[in-house]
Amino acid sequence: MFKIIKKNCCGLDVHKTWIFACIGITDSNDRTEYKQARFSSFSKGLLELCDWLAKYNCTDVCMESTGKYWIPVYNILEKNNLWVTLSHPKYTKPMKGNKTDRKDAKWICDLYMCGMVKPSFIPPADIRHLRDLVRYRFKLTCMITGEKNRAQNCLTVSNLKLDDVFSDVFGKSSRSIIEQILAHPGETFDVTPFVDSRCKTPIEEIQAAVDGAISPEQAVKLRQCLNHIDELEKHIETVEQEILRLSNQYSSALELIRTVPGFGNNPMTAIQVLSEIGGDMSVFPTAKHLVSWAGCCPRNDQSNKKIKSTRISRAGSYIKPLLVQVANSLILSKKYPEFTTRYRRIKARRGHKKATIALCRMILTAIWHMLSELKPYTPDGFLESRPVNESKTLTTSQALNLLKQRGYIIKDDPVAVS
């Protein structure tokens, strides 16, 4: 029998159209009485749910994250001063068989009543709004990448080898050449006026690369791809302006994050991290909790002193790719030895991928301490001098014998003639 921690709480089973609620009220003799009801997922039904909870003096509510359907429920309950706990469905999944929506709500209520529900991290409303726009910007960027791939396919099919002579096919020079080809299909023209003076590729190679023919069908497809790319770039510009407006209130936290190596060049990088983890680190007791939430640490999967798996989880699907990109850029830089030294040490025995995730953990740990202590980044904590292991200390004779065993020939220093 589990100990009842919450004497008056409610469990919600959220669906698209209906919401099933179950309140568990426990008296002084540990006898629990359940009150169940069904409400519509419309705003009117959600307000009726708040009134029903107030009728039984219930302020603690627990529900599972079902798609996007939990978001409006969470927003309205939060505005009515109710304490809402959101849990991942894997932590509230009931046993198979004899399962209904009402029983699911009662099961969630029983788990929450006994303190067996693991809550999810839900940032404040302003951070949630910022996160939604940042993630939408990421989706738009992915759409641009897809359209650029389709446009590149059109050029490849038409034997226009612009990707061989330009580093960026959609740069200034290449784009002007593509516009000329679309404006005058099938005509031969001189590419010299369209090439920027800073281009390092010889004009003869560029002229040979455009010696192809584009069909009318491919021209229509390429034109639509380019128009869509331009339209998406305008959308991203508008979204970025709104993101910068929402992030102004977190300017101090953003300035601290930008002191971390790899976050100072693009201002959107720091905003993307802030939109995922928020500016209040009190929700994460330690830096390890933040790293675990982001999915940058090995899992605990051990039985009978046998480690079954050390794979990282799928958590942090938005912040983890960003951290990996920053880590890969730090690997190639020589300015930050605290990262390159750790990467080389771990890569030698664990490989590139695990070493990269280790750098991600370093970055998140530094961000947690910076936002908790309100101090800028410093590499001192990562560059601590390691004490010499006394067991590896050798005498002079032992060192000479070790060198001889490895094939070294030891000679005396030549005496200088005065």
Side-chain angles (χ1 to χ4, degrees):
M1 191 67 180
F2 294 101
K3 182 180 179 181
I4 296 178
I5 299 177
K6 299 183 181 295
K7 302 294 184 180
N8 190 348
C9 62
C10 177
L12 298 181
D13 188 33
V14 181
H15 295 272
K16 180 180 180 181
T17 308
W18 299 102
I19 298 174
F20 295 86
C22 177
I23 296 180
I25 303 175
T26 306
D27 56 16
S28 58
N29 297 324
D30 289 341
R31 291 178 298 186
T32 304
E33 180 183 2
Y34 296 97
K35 306 292 184 180
Q36 294 185 339
R38 187 185 73 167
F39 301 92
S40 171
S41 60
F42 296 158
S43 297
K44 180 181 178 182
L46 295 179
L47 294 177
E48 292 176 355
L49 171 62
C50 295
D51 296 337
W52 183 72
L53 292 173
K55 176 182 176 181
Y56 294 100
N57 297 323
C58 180
T59 57
D60 279 348
V61 180
C62 178
M63 62 180 179
E64 61 183 15
S65 54
T66 308
K68 296 292 184 180
Y69 303 133
W70 66 270
I71 298 179
V73 181
Y74 187 94
N75 293 335
I76 292 181
L77 295 180
E78 185 184 39
K79 291 179 181 178
N80 285 269
N81 299 324
L82 295 174
W83 181 262
V84 186
T85 299
L86 186 72
S87 179
H88 195 280
K90 67 180 180 181
Y91 299 120
T92 58
K93 186 177 181 181
M95 297 180 62
K96 293 183 178 180
N98 195 18
K99 175 182 177 298
T100 62
D101 295 332
R102 294 185 182 276
K103 291 183 178 180
D104 289 346
K106 182 177 180 296
W107 175 254
I108 295 174
C109 179
D110 290 337
L111 292 178
Y112 188 57
M113 189 186 304
C114 299
M116 299 177 63
V117 175
K118 184 178 180 181
S120 300
F121 165 59
I122 305 297
D126 50 351
I127 291 292
R128 295 202 302 268
H129 299 159
L130 180 63
R131 174 190 289 183
D132 190 36
L133 287 179
V134 170
R135 291 184 177 182
Y136 178 58
R137 175 183 173 274
F138 173 74
K139 296 294 184 181
L140 292 176
T141 305
C142 293
M143 293 172 65
I144 288 181
T145 304
E147 286 296 336
K148 287 185 177 180
N149 291 336
R150 297 182 189 96
Q152 179 61 48
N153 291 338
C154 295
L155 297 175
T156 303
V157 170
S158 304
N159 202 28
L160 298 173
K161 303 292 186 179
L162 294 178
D163 56 330
D164 291 341
V165 293
F166 292 108
S167 58
D168 184 9
V169 181
F170 302 93
K172 180 179 179 181
S173 300
S174 180
R175 183 64 185 268
S176 60
I177 293 176
I178 294 175
E179 294 291 344
Q180 177 68 17
I181 293 175
L182 293 177
H184 306 280
E187 297 182 7
T188 304
F189 63 96
D190 185 15
V191 299
T192 304
F194 304 97
V195 179
D196 191 87
S197 59
R198 294 170 295 180
C199 183
K200 298 181 181 180
T201 307
I203 298 296
E204 293 77 11
E205 293 186 13
I206 300 177
Q207 189 71 50
V210 299
D211 187 16
I214 185 170
S215 63
E217 296 79 13
Q218 293 295 330
V220 172
K221 180 182 176 181
L222 180 58
R223 168 54 62 192
Q224 296 303 317
C225 289
L226 295 178
N227 292 340
H228 196 195
I229 290 172
D230 296 338
E231 184 179 357
L232 290 173
E233 288 178 348
K234 294 180 181 179
H235 293 337
I236 289 181
E237 183 179 356
T238 304
V239 172
E240 286 182 349
Q241 293 177 359
E242 183 65 16
I243 289 175
L244 294 175
R245 186 189 68 83
L246 292 176
S247 62
N248 285 335
Q249 56 181 320
Y250 295 98
S251 58
S252 58
L254 291 175
E255 290 298 327
L256 291 175
I257 297 176
R258 291 191 182 106
T259 59
V260 180
F263 289 85
N265 296 330
N266 189 354
M268 297 302 299
T269 308
I271 295 177
Q272 188 171 351
V273 172
L274 181 69
S275 66
E276 294 296 329
I277 66 176
D280 183 16
M281 292 294 102
S282 62
V283 295
F284 301 105
T286 63
K288 294 182 179 180
H289 288 79
L290 174 60
V291 173
S292 177
W293 175 84
C296 295
C297 66
R299 69 175 67 179
N300 289 331
D301 193 359
Q302 182 177 353
S303 178
N304 195 21
K305 298 183 179 180
K306 180 180 179 181
I307 299 177
K308 295 184 178 181
S309 176
T310 58
R311 293 178 63 91
I312 59 176
S313 65
R314 297 182 180 181
S317 58
Y318 285 92
I319 188 174
K320 195 188 304 180
L322 174 66
L323 296 175
V324 170
Q325 291 180 7
V326 174
N328 286 329
S329 64
L330 295 177
I331 292 171
L332 303 176
S333 177
K334 298 181 180 179
K335 299 180 180 179
Y336 312 105
E338 65 272 20
F339 291 98
T340 55
T341 303
R342 182 176 178 84
Y343 169 76
R344 291 169 184 168
R345 185 173 69 249
I346 299 179
K347 180 189 176 183
R349 51 190 174 86
R350 302 303 301 275
H352 166 73
K353 292 184 177 180
K354 292 186 181 296
T356 304
I357 295 298
L359 296 190
C360 297
R361 178 169 182 166
M362 288 180 60
I363 295 173
L364 276 181
T365 303
I367 291 176
W368 185 89
H369 283 284
M370 291 162 49
L371 296 180
S372 299
E373 303 171 4
L374 300 180
K375 296 180 180 179
Y377 171 81
T378 174
D380 297 339
F382 298 118
L383 293 177
E384 296 180 355
S385 58
R386 297 188 173 186
V388 179
N389 191 348
E390 297 295 337
S391 62
K392 294 184 179 181
T393 303
L394 303 178
T395 62
T396 304
S397 59
Q398 290 174 342
L400 293 176
N401 291 332
L402 180 61
L403 291 175
K404 291 178 182 179
Q405 292 175 3
R406 296 188 176 183
Y408 288 92
I409 300 176
I410 302 175
K411 296 182 180 180
D412 295 333
D413 294 334
V415 179
V417 179
S418 57

